[in-house]
């Protein structure tokens, strides 16, 4: 496969140097850093004469911001994919409104960068997706690395800027989104709500329990569904998670198919 051509745009030379090193360390998809730019004007000048597949783009830069540059890139004859790489986590929603492939926060881990580059290649039709299901999730928390078997995961729930992974024994915090995690978890998990993936065999009951707490930052539709009060009980913890209207039938089917 022809290597992906990347342009790194960041006003900090050391940040560009570290990101280039991480790109070289990613075994697949094959990538090359075709160019670097310290601001939006330099990036546009570089892109005017050279094609690239993706831009690794900082958000806060002197002059034109990364968000503004991403909007300008849409005017190019050949639109490169955009992966934001920033120290600020509070622009993620705006990033995805601009159709960014991913939003990475510094310090960037190689595994997260590689996952983002795989998505770039998939969008370009130049990379076959990895097997949908993985045997375990690797969690880095408080300086420790944990290997959590997927078979032990009860649910994953989005909470503002992070995702909580729950097993029967304890909870973990992940910095990946549910959108990123869902394809890797496979059919064993059911999306019961915009903010929750639950293991099918962990769903014990479905009830209308009155108003459920809305997730902080939830959209109006989500808050309305929470007010209706449909919830699924997760075994063995006994916790109740909100269920969206559109997923009620799927949750009922999961309960009927389960063997307790």
């Amino acid at each position: 496969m022809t290597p992906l051509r990347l342009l790194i745009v960041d006003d900090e030379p050391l940040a560009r140097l570290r990101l280039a090193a991480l790109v070289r360390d990613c075994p697949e998809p094959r990538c090359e850093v075709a160019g670097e730019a310290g601001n939006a004007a330099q990036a546009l000048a570089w892109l005017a004469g050279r094609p690239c597949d993706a831009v690794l783009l900082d958000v806060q830069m002197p002059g034109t911001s990364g968000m503004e540059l991403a909007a300008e890139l849409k005017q190019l004859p050949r639109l490169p994919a955009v992966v934001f790489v920033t120290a600020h986590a509070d622009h993620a929603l705006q990033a995805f409104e601009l159709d960014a492939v991913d939003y990475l926060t510094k310090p960037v881990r190689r595994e997260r960068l590689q996952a983002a580059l795989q998505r770039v290649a998939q969008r370009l039709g130049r990379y076959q997706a990895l097997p949908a299901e993985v045997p375990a999730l690797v969690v880095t928390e408080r300086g420790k690395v944990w290997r959590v078997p997927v078979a032990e995961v009860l649910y994953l729930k989005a909470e503002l800027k992070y995702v909580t992974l729950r097993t029967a024994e304890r909870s973990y915090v992940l910095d990946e989104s549910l959108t990123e995690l869902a394809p890797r978890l496979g059919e064993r998990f059911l999306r019961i709500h915009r903010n929750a993936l639950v293991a099918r065999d962990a769903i014990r009951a479905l009830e209308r329990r009155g108003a459920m707490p809305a997730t902080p930052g939830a959209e109006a539709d989500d808050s309305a569904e929470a007010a209706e009060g449909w919830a699924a009980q997760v075994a063995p913890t006994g916790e109740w998670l909100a269920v969206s209207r559109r997923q009620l039938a799927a949750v009922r089917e999961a309960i009927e198919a389960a063997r307790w």
Side-chain angles (χ1 to χ4, degrees):
M1 184 187 76
T2 303
L4 295 177
R5 289 172 52 84
L6 308 179
L7 171 64
I8 297 176
V9 184
D10 196 306
D11 62 305
E12 298 181 4
L14 287 179
R16 299 198 301 269
L17 183 65
R18 182 177 185 275
L19 194 54
L22 287 174
V23 169
R24 289 193 295 269
D25 286 343
C26 291
E28 58 175 304
R30 291 174 55 209
C31 300
E32 64 178 23
V33 178
E36 297 183 12
N39 55 50
Q42 291 177 7
L44 290 172
W46 190 95
L47 288 165
R50 308 170 186 83
C52 81
D53 296 302
V55 178
L56 305 182
L57 180 57
D58 191 15
V59 172
Q60 293 194 351
M61 300 183 294
T64 303
S65 71
M67 294 294 172
E68 293 168 330
L69 175 58
E72 289 189 44
L73 294 181
K74 292 182 177 295
Q75 308 303 318
L76 295 178
R78 180 182 173 185
L79 174 64
V82 173
V83 175
F84 284 101
V85 183
T86 175
H88 305 277
D90 52 352
H91 299 286
L93 179 59
Q94 184 181 357
F96 290 111
E97 288 174 348
L98 289 168
D99 198 28
V101 173
D102 210 334
Y103 189 94
L104 309 182
T105 54
K106 299 175 182 178
V108 177
R109 293 182 290 111
R110 189 194 69 180
E111 293 80 7
R112 283 287 289 115
L113 176 61
Q114 181 170 335
L117 295 174
Q118 287 170 354
R119 280 188 284 278
V120 169
Q122 288 169 20
R123 178 174 290 193
L124 296 173
R126 289 163 54 182
Y127 184 73
Q128 296 299 315
L130 296 174
E133 298 189 33
V134 295
L137 296 175
V138 177
V139 180
T140 302
E141 187 178 81
R142 298 178 183 175
K144 295 183 179 180
V145 178
W146 307 83
R147 184 179 183 275
V148 182
V150 169
E152 297 180 6
V153 178
L154 302 179
Y155 67 80
L156 298 105
K157 184 178 179 182
E159 307 274 0
L160 289 178
K161 298 178 182 178
Y162 60 89
V163 169
T164 297
L165 181 157
R166 187 72 165 91
T167 68
E169 290 75 28
R170 58 164 294 181
S171 297
Y172 302 85
V173 174
L174 305 179
D175 62 359
E176 296 177 84
S177 69
L178 291 184
T179 301
E180 296 167 340
L181 291 163
R184 297 161 57 193
L185 295 172
E187 293 300 317
R188 182 174 176 269
F189 285 77
L190 176 64
R191 191 85 175 241
I192 69 168
H193 194 275
R194 184 193 298 266
N195 74 337
L197 285 166
V198 181
R200 292 175 183 272
D201 58 7
I203 302 174
R204 182 181 298 277
L206 174 67
E207 292 185 8
R208 195 164 192 167
R209 293 173 53 83
M212 292 288 294
T215 300
E219 296 182 4
D221 290 346
D222 295 332
S223 298
E225 288 180 347
E228 291 186 0
W230 284 103
Q233 187 182 43
V234 179
T237 63
E239 295 167 271
W240 292 90
L241 301 179
V243 177
S244 67
R245 289 190 298 268
R246 65 179 65 89
Q247 291 301 107
L248 287 174
V251 173
R252 290 191 179 101
E253 291 175 5
I255 294 172
E256 291 171 2
R259 295 293 183 266
W260 297 99

